[in-house]
Every structure is written in C-alpha cells, then in structure tokens.
Amino acid sequence: MNMNSGIVLSQTDGRPLYQQLIDRIKRKIALGDWSPGDLIPSIRALAIELGISVITVKRAYLELEHQNIIHTQQGIGSFVSQDPQLGSQLNRTELGDHIKKAVQLAETLGLDEDELIKLIKEHSHKWSKT
Amino acid sequence: MTELALELIGVNKAYKHFQLRNLNLELPKGQIMGLIGANGAGKSTCMRILMGLVHQDSGVVRVMGHEMPSQQVQAKQEIGFLSEDMRLYGQSNLRWHMDFIASIFPSWDDLYAQNLCDIFDLNTDQAVKGFSHGQRVKAGLVLALARRPKLLILDEPTTGLDAVARYEVLTELMEVIRDEENTILFSSHNTYDVEKLSDTICFIDQGQLVASNDKERFLDQWRRIRIKLPQGTDLPDSIQVVNIKGSGQERSIITNSFSPDLVSNWTQAGLEVIEIEHLSLEEIFIAAVQKSRRLKEEVCV
C-alpha cells in the first residue's frame, strides 16, 4: 500500500503549519483523492513524509476529528469519515467562505445586491451569455 | 506515565566565566526536542553533561534511565552523539571509521550506513582530510546513526551546511523517529529547523532555561496583538505582556499567554484590538531572551 500523501506544504504561507495541513487534507477529500472510508497515513508517517513535527500533525488530525472529517480507531489507523456527502460539503463550505469575503468587499465598495450579482455573472461563461 | 529518554533536575555547573544554573529539563521517548540558544548560551555544556563528558557540580542527570555520570558506560551504548569538536582521523577514509565503530558497537547496521553514504553522497574510500565541512558533518552523522542508538544527541547538526545538505540531514533525522522508541535532542541557532521538526522546544540563555514548552503551545500562546489605545487609556499592565512597541495610538504588544479571555479583558478595559498575529519561533526566541535579560538586570540594580 502506498501511503505517500503527496501533500506539499508552503514555506511562505503565513499561517501555522497545522492549519495549512488541515486545509490540504480537506482539499484532498473535496477533490475525491481521499474518499470516505479510506485509510489515511498515520500521524508519524505523515510527519516524516512532510518533515514536520509529530505534534503538528497530531494537532491537525485532532482538529479534523472534532470536525467529523476523519476518525481514528486506536491501534488501527485514521480514516476519512464515511459520510458520502463529505466531499461536496467541504466544497460548499469553501464556496461559502469565498462568497462571504466577496460580499464584505462589495459592502466596502458600496455595491448593492444587483451590482454584485451582475459581477458574479460576468465571471461565469455559462451565465454571462443569458 | 511516559518514559523519559532524558531528565535533568536542578543541574548546576560553574566555570570561571560561565555558569549553568538550576537547569531542569525532561524529554519523553519518541519525541524530538530542539534546544535554541545564542552562541555561548550553554547548549553544548548541557549536551556534554548529558553525555557524561562534563560532570555537573550538583543536580540529577538521567539518560535512558542511567544516572550520569556514574553509569555513563551503559548510557553511551544507547546514545549517538555528534558535536563539532569530534575529530575524524584525517589520514584514514570513512570506511576505516565505519569499521572501527562497528567493532565497538554490536548494534552497527552496515547496510544502513552504506545507504546513508549514498544519500549523503559520501565517498567511503576518500581520506577524510579531503572532506569539506559539510561532508565531515554528514560523515559524523553516518557514524552516529548507523549504530542505531535509541537516543541521538546532536550539537548543531545543520550549522554550516548548504541548503541541500541541510535538507538531506533533516530528512534522515525524521526517518529515525519512524521507530516510536527513538528520541532526538538537537541544538541549533537556526530557529527555522527547530520550528519545523521539534515536538518540544527549549530556549537557553546565559546558562539558564528561559522557556520550554511543546511547540504547538509555544506558537499558540505567543502572539502579537495590535491595538488602538484611545487617549487617556492606560496600557495593559500585566505579566502577560512581554514587550510593547509603537507610538501615538497604535501599539503592538507581544504576549506569551494569549487566550480569548485576555483579549476580552483588554477590550473591556477600553482598548481596541485591531489584529492578532502569529509569531515565528525566531521572533518568540528574541522576545523571550530580551525579557529574561531585562528581568536579570532589574534584579541586579
């Protein structure tokens, strides 16, 4: 079994490593690289692969467990949660975050609802034609 | 209870111009501990005491369960040590050194040694005197690692290495802890290496332990908080404040005990919290050392 995660962390991302790692793992699940029920690398194995402390990976896994994204069975390993909707849920959460930021920026610029929606439409190939 | 790989309790050691004072340290098995300090802070002395090369004036030192220095013969079987003042025999090649260590330590793993030489790109037939600084450090690491010791004590293993060599060395160090029983203590003045690898971090300055904590807690509790200080409002006068900079209404405060409560207390006191930032280990180290030195001066005055 190849347990190489293929995760790459950034050296210039200002956030703490554990937060970066949480995001990378969520992304892997959202993309479907890691499917519900999959066994994921052990904390120690991932720490060695990424060259970061065991304690940092442990913290990321604990946080992901709290969010019910992964679960750990003592002595067996950590798994992606069985929820089949998990991938699309994570994508929705990310979309929600982006929209929130867009709305905040629009408010700062004094745009109203219609103007913002018009701008969003301009950025979609599908909607801009209609 | 977690077993300890090493333990220092109230250790003192006085030299003419330098003093190690009341050092307390413990490192559970399976972890990596990074020791950070300026030059002459006491890192090497601390490591020599752990190796039984220097005897403490007072205090208890236990390494892999062995009392030091009285049981150093047993302890040394389990420790791999690397320091800058370890000399290789210039006339001999690395192969000769490897055979020599193999003849002393039955745990020597020659396959692993050769594998490491390949990774580090070391020629085992070349006389060691022709090695560069980086090659010497890597040769020393091969000799320490291939004994497969349960505890590695490495004094500045990455100092003077180029970026690629440093990466190779750090990668091999991480491989060591694939075995959950293995423990590493290393010192560095490169805070980035320590920040990345260590589970626990200790700051040493002027012979004293300035701060010690698990890394995640360090990075969580030390924050920079940018505040707006409306006129007529007093600065937060609390022990949580390590340093304050800024003028006018803006202040940037470094705290070593960040919590949401701290922020809400300040807000209630009339301060406006603008931003809360994380710090790099280097920033934390400098702030911690400056505070410790300031406190010492105040005591002296």
Side-chain angles (χ1 to χ4, degrees), chain A residues 15 23 93-109 111 116 120:
Chain A
R15 294 170 307 156
D23 281 1
T93 313
E94 201 188 333
L95 178 63
D97 290 341
H98 285 298
I99 291 176
K100 210 157 115 192
K101 270 187 212 149
V103 170
Q104 278 167 355
L105 268 173
E107 279 170 356
T108 325
L109 290 168
L111 302 182
L116 179 61
I120 291 175

Side-chain angles (χ1 to χ4, degrees), chain A residues 11 16-18 44-45 47-48 50-56 59, chain B residues 30 174-175 177-178 180 192 196-199 214-216 220 278:
Chain A
Q11 270 192 31
L17 280 174
Y18 85 95
R44 206 161 270 268
I48 293 163
L50 301 176
I52 60 174
S53 339
V54 169
I55 200 172
T56 302
R59 185 169 184 194
Chain B
M174 283 307 286
E175 276 301 329
I177 59 139
R178 203 176 284 277
E180 287 179 37
Y192 179 75
K196 227 178 143 205
L197 256 59
S198 307
D199 298 299
D214 93 49
K215 185 188 70 183
E216 290 299 318
D220 246 11
H278 287 277

Side-chain angles (χ1 to χ4, degrees), chain A residues 58-112:
Chain A
K58 199 180 273 176
R59 185 169 184 194
Y61 275 32
L62 273 177
E63 182 67 30
L64 288 164
E65 276 169 32
H66 281 307
Q67 297 177 20
N68 288 322
I69 292 167
I70 65 168
H71 67 275
T72 300
Q73 279 179 273
Q74 279 309 319
I76 302 176
S78 299
F79 300 84
V80 180
S81 292
Q82 278 294 356
D83 181 0
Q85 300 297 318
L86 191 60
S88 61
Q89 250 171 41
L90 289 174
N91 276 327
R92 274 186 167 275
T93 313
E94 201 188 333
L95 178 63
D97 290 341
H98 285 298
I99 291 176
K100 210 157 115 192
K101 270 187 212 149
V103 170
Q104 278 167 355
L105 268 173
E107 279 170 356
T108 325
L109 290 168
L111 302 182
D112 64 20

Side-chain angles (χ1 to χ4, degrees), chain A residues 3-69:
Chain A
M3 287 306 278
N4 213 310
S5 72
I7 287 173
V8 176
L9 297 175
S10 160
Q11 270 192 31
T12 49
D13 186 314
R15 294 170 307 156
L17 280 174
Y18 85 95
Q19 278 176 359
Q20 264 197 64
L21 185 56
I22 288 171
D23 281 1
R24 299 308 346 151
I25 291 174
K26 281 184 180 170
R27 176 56 64 103
K28 274 201 147 331
I29 296 169
L31 286 171
D33 285 349
W34 287 0
S35 309
D38 276 1
L39 179 67
I40 65 173
S42 73
I43 290 173
R44 206 161 270 268
L46 191 55
I48 293 163
E49 184 197 327
L50 301 176
I52 60 174
S53 339
V54 169
I55 200 172
T56 302
V57 180
K58 199 180 273 176
R59 185 169 184 194
Y61 275 32
L62 273 177
E63 182 67 30
L64 288 164
E65 276 169 32
H66 281 307
Q67 297 177 20
N68 288 322
I69 292 167

Side-chain angles (χ1 to χ4, degrees), chain B residues 227-244:
Chain B
I227 57 160
K228 202 172 134 191
L229 190 70
Q231 274 177 352
T233 321
D234 287 327
L235 277 168
D237 175 34
S238 68
I239 47 161
Q240 291 112 332
V241 173
V242 175
N243 113 19
I244 302 176

